[in-house]
Amino acid sequence: MGLFGFFRSSKTKSDWDKEIMSMQSSLAHWQGSLALARKDKDKGRIAQAQFRIAELKGRIANAKIERRNAPKG
């Protein structure tokens, strides 16, 4: 528990699993959107989808780290 660990909500491994699955679902959505944007050659949508994909991958990685230290539940 870091310096600000006291202020975090105490999510269980199960809570983190649900959140990770939700983010993975969003990731799949954006990957599909990226494929469609590339097909349509829409540079704005491509950039947006790439940004969202990168953001979600980072959030998923952080959630997996948090899950490791979470209590069982």
Side-chain angles (χ1 to χ4, degrees):
M1 190 185 282
L3 179 62
F4 297 103
F6 177 76
F7 298 107
R8 291 186 188 173
S9 62
S10 57
K11 290 184 180 179
T12 64
K13 288 186 187 298
S14 178
D15 294 332
W16 281 113
D17 288 341
K18 290 175 189 172
E19 189 165 335
I20 290 168
M21 286 187 341
S22 175
M23 287 188 282
Q24 287 173 333
S25 176
S26 293
L27 177 61
H29 164 79
W30 281 106
Q31 288 171 330
S33 294
L34 177 59
L36 289 174
R38 284 184 173 155
K39 180 182 173 193
D40 295 340
K41 298 179 182 175
D42 185 337
K43 291 182 182 180
R45 284 177 39 216
I46 291 170
Q48 180 186 20
Q50 288 174 330
F51 174 80
R52 295 294 177 197
I53 289 168
E55 176 188 34
L56 282 164
K57 284 182 177 182
R59 289 178 55 203
I60 290 168
N62 287 335
K64 287 180 178 180
I65 291 168
E66 291 290 336
R67 183 193 179 282
R68 278 190 238 151
N69 299 319
K72 292 181 181 179

